Amino acid sequence: MPRHVREELARRLRRTKRGFREEDVQVVEGPLLKRAVSASALGNCMEWFDFGVYSYLAATIGKVFFPGASPGAQLISSFATFAAAFVVRPLGGLVFGPLGDRIGRQKVLATTMIMMAVGTFAIGLIPSYATIGIAAPILLLLARMVQGFSTGGEYGGATTFVAEYSPDRRRGFLSSWLDFGTFTGYALGSALVTVLNLALTEAQMLSWGWRLPFLIAGPLGIIGLYMRTKLEESPAFQQQLDEHEKSLAQDSAGSEFKTIVRDHWRPLLVCMGLVLLYNVTNYMVTGYLVTYQTETLDRSSGFADLLVLIGMLWIVLLITFLGRLSDHVGRRPLYAVGAVAMIVLALPSFLLLRQDGTWAPIAGVLILSTLLACFAAPSAATLPALFPTAVRYAAMGIGFNIAVAAFGGTTPLVTEALVNVTGNTLMPAYYLMAAGVIGLITVKFLPESAQVPLHGSQPMVGSRQEQRELITSSQDLYRFSQERYWPR
């Protein structure tokens, strides 16, 4: 048993003044766990299907909705609309987070699923600027804001839900399936756009082809909603460990927000630092890299699309392996190694990306994708573990969405503007290096949570055998602590 796990269990045993009993250790049923993970991952898959589609279609959307602008202004306008969804994400987190802590995770996640589907589906129905004029970009902006508002409650809720369902020893592996859904959705969206670009002419894409990927969100949303309505509430939400946390769960949203800021500001800052590291890398690779290649490096859209798609598939292959690794070596080492590698390798990656030919750009994308996988794999297990059960959903909603809105979703817009202003095509690398420095500083203050029970939750195990083993270990540990602190 790792030292940090033993210390946490010893603290709990000193509080209860006895070893664990059967009722103190929660056994998670396999079928329930699989449904929880798959239904949550599907929501992430759908969310990032949309992001993949929007990122790959940024130039086309700019021509459809901002036809009077120059190509550069069209692109920036398209990215500004993309970033607008992130402006309302913190508001969604402030609304859905406290709701999830009061009425339950499952109900809120069903709501965010249907809102995401409606917002994405609506984009596919909006007439072009040539048809309805200025109303077209306004409707696009509104649809993006609906998506952003719902997404404000989606990732924080999904990570909370899966983390609260997962056995402590496997939380990293099981939670990594959420981001497996993320990058699978992105890969599917980007692959669909790549196929459409190859199969249709530019005129057909501008006329109706760009709408098809967005319209797929309707059926996906119905499937996702059905799966989420079949879920049971998470064990951690069903049982709060003490009356103090129960009373917190009944507080108003305003008082819960004050409680989080007053009592949990340190983990909130750690959460925001890790989210900055993850999401600046994420949106650089997923939201900007295609446009960087086509608009800055003058590559064909087909080659650029294929290059980033290779990176996404590489992440899909890596992510659950790295999630499992984080259960064994810890979350902190994975983040730390990734942050140092980002500082060292960001510039070489973009130098490779700028090279002519095929293999050097592929190597650059694979390096960036590997770094992204190092941050994505442990995040869904690490971030919820920073907060106690009673405020976990709301704290995740606040910390995650503020950081994403300020630094993640704005990454394509800010990076494109920096390249245009400075004329330096390596600005994206410097931006990533800065994120790596902030991430490395944040890791210094990150408590290790691998294999540790969540704050405010019972220890979670995956079988009766594990339950018996933990009970026996706790009794031995309690006897040892008694002899150590109260020797006869």
Side-chain angles (χ1 to χ4, degrees):
M1 184 183 294
R3 180 180 176 181
H4 68 279
V5 180
R6 192 166 58 249
E7 291 174 349
E8 172 60 25
L9 293 180
R11 279 193 292 269
R12 294 188 178 217
L13 296 174
R14 287 196 294 271
R15 190 169 65 236
T16 59
K17 298 181 180 179
R18 59 173 174 79
F20 291 141
R21 298 171 182 165
E22 190 170 306
E23 64 269 20
D24 298 323
V25 181
Q26 179 81 37
V27 180
V28 187
E29 297 179 15
L32 282 178
L33 179 59
K34 289 178 181 178
R35 284 207 300 271
V37 172
S38 58
S40 300
L42 181 61
N44 273 20
C45 181
M46 180 180 152
E47 175 190 349
W48 280 86
F49 176 86
D50 163 62
F51 284 146
V53 167
Y54 197 99
S55 299
Y56 271 52
L57 288 173
T60 301
I61 289 172
K63 294 174 183 176
V64 172
F65 289 97
F66 309 99
S70 65
Q74 285 179 350
L75 196 57
I76 290 176
S77 297
S78 181
F79 278 138
T81 308
F82 178 82
F86 293 86
V87 174
V88 297
R89 278 184 72 151
L91 180 60
L94 287 171
V95 171
F96 288 121
L99 271 178
D101 286 329
R102 292 201 303 278
I103 69 174
R105 286 64 161 125
Q106 183 268 344
K107 295 182 181 68
V108 173
L109 286 173
T111 303
T112 58
M113 170 64 77
I114 196 63
M115 286 185 67
M116 281 196 304
V118 168
T120 306
F121 187 76
I123 292 177
L125 300 177
I126 299 173
S128 67
Y129 186 95
T131 304
I132 60 172
I134 193 63
I138 292 174
L139 289 174
L140 176 65
L141 181 63
L142 289 174
R144 288 290 299 156
M145 292 179 77
V146 169
Q147 289 176 317
F149 186 79
S150 62
T151 304
E154 172 63 30
Y155 188 79
T159 55
T160 295
F161 193 74
V162 172
E164 291 178 348
Y165 252 107
S166 300
D168 299 330
R169 293 180 183 177
R170 303 175 62 213
R171 186 170 295 116
F173 170 67
L174 292 168
S175 297
S176 68
W177 285 96
L178 279 177
D179 287 282
F180 176 90
T182 292
F183 293 103
T184 299
Y186 188 95
L188 290 173
S190 57
L192 179 56
V193 174
T194 301
V195 170
L196 289 174
N197 279 330
L198 293 173
L200 302 177
T201 65
E202 183 178 359
Q204 289 172 323
M205 282 296 293
L206 288 171
S207 175
W208 53 269
W210 68 271
R211 300 181 184 277
L212 297 179
F214 293 105
L215 296 178
I216 291 174
L220 282 178
I222 293 171
I223 295 170
L225 181 63
Y226 173 79
M227 291 181 66
R228 289 193 171 179
T229 55
K230 297 297 180 182
L231 292 175
E232 295 183 14
E233 194 51 78
S234 73
F237 183 79
Q238 291 175 3
Q239 51 86 26
Q240 306 251 328
L241 285 185
D242 55 52
E243 292 300 320
H244 173 61
E245 288 194 343
K246 288 182 180 179
S247 67
L248 278 178
Q250 302 301 319
D251 286 345
S252 67
S255 62
E256 185 175 6
F257 176 76
K258 292 177 184 176
T259 298
I260 292 167
V261 174
R262 183 188 67 236
D263 298 339
H264 305 286
W265 61 270
R266 282 187 177 87
L268 200 62
L269 290 177
V270 171
C271 175
M272 293 172 68
L274 294 179
V275 172
L276 182 153
L277 175 65
Y278 172 20
N279 281 277
V280 166
T281 313
N282 191 8
Y283 290 101
M284 184 70 74
V285 176
T286 62
Y288 180 64
L289 215 52
V290 169
T291 302
Y292 175 76
Q293 294 183 82
T294 57
E295 303 302 316
T296 304
L297 303 181
D298 293 322
R299 288 193 173 128
S300 69
S301 61
F303 181 75
D305 291 348
L306 186 59
L307 207 58
V308 177
L309 180 57
I310 289 171
M312 294 302 99
L313 294 175
W314 178 240
I315 293 173
V316 168
L317 291 175
L318 277 182
I319 196 162
T320 56
F321 167 78
L322 292 174
R324 190 190 298 272
L325 182 65
S326 77
D327 284 328
H328 295 287
V329 304
R331 325 287 192 224
R332 295 182 79 239
L334 200 56
Y335 277 117
V337 169
V340 171
M342 176 68 78
I343 297 168
V344 174
L345 297 177
L347 190 57
S349 297
F350 273 86
L351 289 172
L352 286 170
L353 197 62
R354 295 195 313 176
Q355 298 299 310
D356 294 330
T358 301
W359 295 109
I362 287 177
V365 167
L366 289 179
I367 292 171
L368 292 173
S369 299
T370 302
L371 296 175
L372 175 52
C374 288
F375 307 139
S379 287
T382 305
L383 302 179
L386 293 169
F387 307 102
T389 302
V391 298
R392 184 172 294 127
Y393 199 150
M396 279 289 296
I398 294 166
F400 186 89
N401 289 301
I402 289 176
V404 170
F407 305 105
T410 58
T411 293
L413 176 64
V414 172
T415 309
E416 177 67 14
L418 286 173
V419 171
N420 284 338
V421 168
T422 64
N424 187 344
T425 59
L426 292 176
M427 286 305 297
Y430 301 137
Y431 202 74
L432 288 176
M433 292 168 69
V437 171
I438 295 171
L440 191 59
I441 294 170
T442 302
V443 171
K444 179 178 173 59
F445 301 96
L446 173 67
E448 184 55 73
S449 60
Q451 302 187 36
V452 175
L454 295 173
H455 295 305
S457 301
Q458 292 179 329
M460 303 277 286
V461 295
S463 68
R464 293 291 175 187
Q465 176 64 29
E466 286 186 30
Q467 183 188 45
R468 288 190 292 270
E469 290 174 359
L470 183 57
I471 290 171
T472 301
S473 298
S474 73
Q475 292 168 348
D476 293 342
L477 185 60
Y478 182 65
R479 281 195 297 269
F480 173 77
S481 65
Q482 280 186 309
E483 292 170 0
R484 180 178 178 183
Y485 292 105
W486 300 288
R488 295 180 180 179

